[in-house]
Amino acid sequence: MLSAEEKQYLCWLTAEQFEGWGAVVDLGPWLGSSSVALAEGLKRRGADTRIQSIDLFQWEPVYMESVSGAGLAHGQDFLPLFEQETAEYSAWIRPLKQDLTTFSWAGGPIEILFVDAAKSWELTNAIFRSFGPFLEPGKTRVVLQDFRYHETHFLPLIFDSRPDLWEEIESVDEGHTVTFLPLRPLTGPAGIQTDYSEDSFPLPVAERLLKNRIAVEEPSQRRWYARMLYRKHLIEGPPEETPRMREALLSEGGTSEADLASSENIEHILVPRGWKYYDLGDYSTAATIARQSIKISPGRQLHALSLLAFSLLQLGDRKAASARLQEILATDPSSVSARLGCAEIAVAEGHLEDAERGVLEVVSGTVCEKSTVSWALKLLEKIWQAAGPSASHLAKLQGLPDYAQSTPEFLELLAREQRAAGSNSDAMNTVEAALNVVTEEIAADRLRAEWHALADLQPVAPMEFAAGGLHRPQVPNRLPALAEVTLGELTSETLARAKGGDFGVSEEAILLALDLEGELEQALDLHNNRFSIRRYRDLFDSFFRYVGPPPPPLEGATIVDLGCGSLNPFGFLFLLLMLGARRGIAIDLETIHDWPRAAKSLAGVAADLLIAPARIVGEHPVRISRLLSNIESFDLAKLRAGDRTGIDPAKLVYRRESVHALSLQTAEADLIVSNAFFEHIPGVEAAIAELARVTRPGGMGVHVIDCTDHRRYHDPQVHPLQFLTESHEETLAHGSNRLRPAEFAKLFELKGFEVIKVESFQQATVPAEFRDRFVAPYRSMPEDMLVDTIVKLVVRRC
């Protein structure tokens, strides 16, 4: 709180000293007394400048309620109360609700900076970072309201340690306020630090600075700095020294037992210092600091007891650690850290059932902080590893509350137990979910490795003629008849055929061509080459550039590629991830033909899109930095080497499954695409029903369907509709289901999709004598249902 003299001083500043060349900033105005005093000066001066009053405006009953009595709850917004208290001066005050630890000042030069928010090292550093660059040397007044206050003992240390940077120009007699001028810019090599901490001023340095300050102060002010020195000794000094200092403070007058009790409230300083040593593995020092804190502040020792207990536990003294934890529980039976500490001891002593019960009770009892949930679940994993596999583990995990089930640690543990139970497919899906929420790169790397290990365990079973199954190209074996042909002759013939375009006739030929270099690179830029730029461009045009309006969702979308094929299952989806999609799911029934080649293809897509994006996506807007940020979780170096662990399975995954039984969650997909897929599956109606389940309302589907007799691709004498003249008992005639485009559209409408567009790419001529040979039901179909042979169907989920 401000004294009357401090309020008069602030009023004098803006009424008599303010020149108007910079801003007036009030940091930490609380209920507004400082802002009002500054505003009164502006009012007297006739200035229309507005004070920038910056505060978090969150109520802290521990120290606010005793002064105000507003009756607000912890964390409640008290900006309305501030506005009520300062209403008379609202024309001169602009309140800003901001967190100073993250705030960045952008209001130009500052003429007066009043600081009542420097309550910690962290906040002080944040103020220097944000406002320091805007202080004018020799002109800006930095008014420190807490300079003489013992709990902010760091302010004299920071300012007095830099006489080259700060000059004290004003202070008050009644109160703690002292004002400084910066002597030069705070930025640059010789500027102010922005990472001050208690360790920045070891005891000898702090003692010298504070004693120098005591020597030059008026007698009435010296006690404030003496209390600061006492506080610093409590934090770092030898314990035998502090009783003498305490007695001296009391005997010199002006300091009461209540004052000293306030100075001795340093658990919030000592305990974090102790935990730093704990994190460094120096458990002895951590225990010493905890004991010192307990000795100084016996009435405020729960946090210190916790530090002591866990330090002792690490030092192997379980008996003493248990005693300290029981002290905590005697005062606070609900202490989560103490209960988990007891579980730690139970594990160490082999009482696994007690430990498990304790952990589960903690997590299930009340909503815990994320760090606590992480600790509890890691402890649970330790318990179960010691206890061995059990079918009950999965049920216990599934019984935990939702807030715990959303954490990476839960998902990792769940995946571990699913794998132990033999549910590798479920474990893979769980690992994918964990990758979506994990933040630490080390954990992400571990999860990716786990996913790929699980992928290697997936069973491979023959699936002939199953839904979505396509043929698998085979590279011809070496012919004995050519064994005597020289390498030069073979090379000459290969180059001649490449120039003639023969490599586009089949996927088998393309696989051979991919092993060649030079002339073949250009010759292989064909649609039938699943690795070519031409293929990517055609797919992007088909599924995005020439679809809308409305365009399919891309930014942040989950996209499913049905019947992606086994040669290059990821390439097109990886392209879409670079352009902004959130996740790609590639689905086919075949095993991936060549994992190294599939991985290398992604590095190729990245290179092509980064170097010449227009070759693939035309005029679609791209930014190189955005492309890279969208795939930063992929390891391009590994992909370039053919290492599939460079793939991030949280963003790109391959699933071997039938379109009739997809593992996607209900409404998970934003967009589903397929290219020459639907004509190859039986049970189309059931498949579309499954797509309706997994597509979110408003989500889209874009499907290119080739409704022709596929024998024509190998025999030019076969008419595109030749298979309509034949009777077949099996569902698939020569690998195709013979449904016409209009029938596909009707089935999509029947299952809850709106058909936005049916675009014909190719039509067939149907002579009358040829049509007379059609079997039922095709013979009686209208001609407009027959002539369209290759179409693009665009649908939206209702």
Side-chain angles (χ1 to χ4, degrees):
M1 292 183 64
L2 295 176
S3 68
E5 185 182 347
E6 285 172 315
K7 293 177 184 178
Q8 291 170 358
Y9 170 70
L10 294 179
C11 182
W12 170 79
L13 278 181
T14 47
E16 303 294 336
Q17 302 301 311
F18 180 62
E19 297 176 4
W21 55 263
V24 180
V25 181
D26 184 358
L27 300 182
W30 191 37
L31 296 181
S33 60
S34 54
S35 296
V36 166
L38 292 165
E40 175 62 26
L42 293 173
K43 180 180 179 182
R44 295 179 187 181
R45 188 183 185 88
D48 58 1
T49 299
R50 297 190 76 182
I51 300 153
Q52 310 299 307
S53 300
I54 306 175
D55 201 303
L56 193 56
F57 292 110
Q58 286 186 359
W59 196 255
E60 296 287 347
V62 172
Y63 66 91
M64 293 181 178
E65 192 63 30
S66 60
V67 178
S68 169
L72 300 180
H74 175 76
Q76 188 171 345
D77 183 3
F78 67 86
L79 179 56
L81 188 57
F82 172 89
E83 292 173 334
Q84 175 184 319
E85 295 291 327
T86 61
E88 182 181 347
Y89 295 91
S90 60
W92 291 275
I93 298 174
R94 180 184 178 222
L96 298 172
K97 184 178 176 63
Q98 295 288 343
D99 182 350
L100 287 175
T101 61
T102 57
F103 177 71
S104 294
W105 171 258
I110 298 172
E111 188 168 345
I112 298 174
L113 179 65
F114 178 75
V115 182
D116 193 13
K119 305 297 187 185
S120 67
W121 293 100
E122 179 187 23
L123 278 168
T124 304
N125 288 329
I127 291 168
F128 283 139
R129 281 195 301 271
S130 181
F131 300 93
F134 301 92
L135 306 185
E136 293 291 325
K139 297 174 68 177
T140 299
R141 277 180 165 85
V142 179
V143 186
L144 301 169
Q145 198 276 330
D146 286 324
F147 190 80
R148 294 175 179 150
Y149 187 51
H150 64 93
E151 288 194 9
T152 51
H153 64 279
F154 43 83
L155 291 178
L157 301 180
I158 290 172
F159 281 79
D160 288 354
S161 67
R162 295 297 304 273
D164 61 315
L165 195 59
W166 299 106
E167 178 187 2
E168 181 181 337
I169 58 168
E170 292 148 3
S171 64
V172 299
D173 290 331
E174 294 297 327
H176 303 302
T177 298
V178 178
T179 299
F180 288 83
L181 282 182
L183 298 177
R184 63 166 182 253
L186 268 64
T187 56
I192 197 71
Q193 290 180 228
T194 57
D195 59 351
Y196 284 114
S197 69
E198 201 72 58
D199 295 332
S200 301
F201 299 96
L203 183 58
V205 175
E207 191 166 35
R208 174 177 56 80
L209 291 169
L210 291 172
K211 285 184 176 179
N212 287 345
R213 171 60 70 167
I214 292 171
V216 300
E217 282 288 337
E218 295 293 327
S220 61
Q221 306 296 347
R222 292 174 182 169
R223 70 182 188 277
W224 302 116
Y225 303 103
R227 287 174 64 182
M228 292 181 188
L229 183 56
Y230 172 58
R231 186 177 176 87
K232 183 67 175 178
H233 267 270
L234 288 173
I235 295 170
E236 292 185 25
E240 63 272 11
E241 192 73 18
T242 51
R244 182 191 60 78
M245 297 180 70
R246 194 177 197 279
E247 288 301 319
L249 283 169
L250 290 172
S251 63
E252 289 169 3
T255 302
S256 66
E257 285 284 354
D259 293 333
L260 289 179
S262 178
S263 298
E264 292 162 351
N265 180 18
I266 58 170
E267 185 187 32
H268 65 286
I269 300 174
L270 287 178
V271 172
R273 283 172 60 81
W275 282 115
K276 286 182 180 179
Y277 283 103
Y278 182 94
D279 291 338
L280 292 171
D282 188 350
Y283 306 119
S284 295
T285 301
T288 298
I289 292 174
R291 291 189 180 98
Q292 184 182 2
S293 179
I294 293 168
K295 181 178 179 181
I296 295 169
S297 308
R300 296 180 292 268
Q301 61 182 1
L302 290 183
H303 296 297
L305 277 172
S306 182
L307 172 62
L308 178 58
F310 287 102
S311 299
L312 291 171
L313 185 57
Q314 292 293 341
L315 291 168
D317 192 347
R318 292 199 294 267
K319 182 177 180 180
S322 179
R324 301 292 82 76
L325 292 172
Q326 293 305 319
E327 285 185 56
I328 297 172
L329 292 172
T331 303
D332 181 12
S334 64
S335 171
V336 168
S337 61
R339 294 166 68 189
L340 290 179
C342 291
E344 291 269 15
I345 293 174
V347 173
E349 295 180 345
H351 305 310
L352 300 181
E353 291 185 5
D354 292 340
E356 181 191 70
R357 187 183 311 109
V359 172
L360 293 175
E361 286 176 354
V362 166
V363 180
S364 302
T366 57
V367 177
C368 303
E369 295 180 355
K370 288 184 178 180
S371 59
T372 303
V373 175
S374 173
W375 175 18
L377 291 172
K378 288 177 180 177
L379 181 54
L380 192 60
E381 181 177 9
K382 186 191 299 184
I383 295 167
W384 286 351
Q385 283 178 334
S390 171
S392 68
H393 293 169
L394 283 174
K396 290 171 182 176
L397 283 174
Q398 291 161 354
L400 294 180
D402 291 343
Y403 84 90
Q405 293 196 24
S406 63
T407 62
E409 291 80 13
F410 172 86
L411 294 170
E412 279 197 73
L413 184 53
L414 178 61
R416 176 184 174 275
E417 293 302 322
Q418 288 170 331
R419 180 174 181 175
S423 302
N424 293 337
S425 179
D426 290 341
M428 288 178 68
N429 292 336
T430 301
V431 171
E432 291 170 24
L435 279 163
N436 280 313
V437 295
V438 73
T439 57
E440 296 179 0
E441 190 58 33
I442 294 177
D445 287 342
R446 183 178 65 251
L447 285 167
R448 292 185 194 112
E450 173 68 10
W451 188 91
H452 287 289
L454 288 165
D456 288 337
L457 297 175
Q458 289 295 86
V460 177
M463 299 184 182
E464 293 187 18
F465 304 110
L470 301 178
H471 78 284
R472 185 172 183 174
Q474 298 293 325
V475 177
N477 293 324
R478 184 175 182 179
L479 298 178
L482 297 177
E484 301 300 322
V485 179
T486 68
L487 183 61
E489 291 171 332
L490 286 174
T491 303
S492 298
E493 179 65 13
T494 300
L495 289 173
R497 295 194 181 195
K499 292 176 181 178
D502 290 353
F503 278 92
V505 300
S506 69
E507 288 184 340
E508 290 82 1
I510 288 171
L511 286 174
L512 280 174
L514 286 170
D515 293 330
L516 303 176
E517 296 178 350
E519 188 79 30
L520 292 176
E521 183 176 356
Q522 182 175 357
L524 285 170
D525 193 17
L526 304 165
H527 178 81
N528 284 347
N529 179 357
R530 294 175 183 264
F531 300 89
S532 69
I533 291 178
R534 172 67 180 275
R535 173 85 172 192
Y536 292 131
R537 181 172 67 247
D538 290 347
L539 291 177
F540 187 75
D541 287 349
S542 294
F543 294 114
F544 285 91
R545 290 184 72 197
Y546 305 128
V547 173
L554 180 57
E555 187 67 33
T558 293
I559 301 176
V560 178
D561 186 356
L562 277 179
C564 59
S566 63
L567 292 182
N568 186 11
F570 299 119
F572 183 53
L573 287 175
F574 188 67
L575 168 67
L576 302 183
L577 289 176
M578 292 187 71
L579 295 174
R582 184 183 70 85
R583 194 175 191 218
I585 301 173
I587 292 178
D588 205 284
L589 286 175
E590 297 290 334
T591 57
I592 292 180
H593 182 80
D594 185 338
W595 261 110
R597 190 182 297 282
K600 287 180 181 179
S601 73
L602 303 191
V605 173
D608 292 333
L609 193 58
L610 290 169
I611 295 170
R615 291 185 63 194
I616 300 178
V617 298
E619 298 178 357
H620 185 84
V622 296
R623 290 203 320 270
I624 301 301
S625 59
R626 181 70 189 280
L627 297 179
L628 288 170
S629 68
N630 288 340
I631 56 166
E632 62 183 356
S633 60
F634 289 78
D635 190 327
L636 293 178
K638 285 186 176 181
L639 296 177
R640 181 67 183 85
D643 184 350
R644 59 175 167 166
T645 63
I647 298 172
D648 179 2
K651 300 196 72 174
L652 188 59
V653 64
Y654 182 76
R655 295 182 181 173
R656 292 184 63 219
E657 56 195 32
S658 168
V659 67
H660 293 126
L662 299 173
S663 62
L664 280 79
Q665 299 297 313
T666 298
E668 183 177 354
D670 298 292
L671 171 66
I672 299 178
V673 300
S674 71
N675 186 41
F677 168 78
F678 265 103
E679 69 268 24
H680 293 295
I681 65 171
V684 173
E685 183 174 354
I688 296 174
E690 182 69 346
L691 298 194
R693 180 186 69 81
V694 302
T695 305
R696 68 164 175 81
M700 295 180 67
V702 183
H703 307 284
V704 175
I705 309 174
D706 183 351
C707 300
T708 66
D709 188 331
H710 281 41
R711 290 177 295 173
R712 73 188 183 100
Y713 293 111
H714 306 286
D715 184 354
Q717 300 302 315
V718 174
H719 189 278
L721 301 180
Q722 184 75 39
F723 59 177
L724 301 186
T725 67
E726 304 170 355
S727 296
H728 290 273
E729 293 183 2
E730 63 273 17
T731 305
L732 301 179
H734 309 295
S736 298
N737 54 43
R738 300 196 292 180
L739 285 175
R740 310 321 304 147
E743 292 179 289
F744 281 107
K746 185 175 181 180
L747 287 174
F748 272 96
E749 288 181 335
L750 181 66
K751 296 304 177 183
F753 288 90
E754 172 193 2
V755 176
I756 299 174
K757 178 192 293 187
V758 180
E759 180 181 354
S760 177
F761 287 161
Q762 192 177 99
Q763 292 185 328
T765 301
V766 187
E769 64 276 11
F770 178 62
R771 180 172 176 172
D772 289 341
R773 293 166 50 198
F774 284 7
V775 297
Y778 311 108
R779 183 186 303 164
S780 60
M781 282 186 178
E783 186 170 349
D784 59 0
M785 288 186 65
L786 297 172
V787 294
D788 289 334
T789 53
I790 301 179
V791 298
K792 177 165 64 181
L793 190 62
V794 182
V795 298
R796 183 194 296 115
R797 183 73 170 93
C798 299

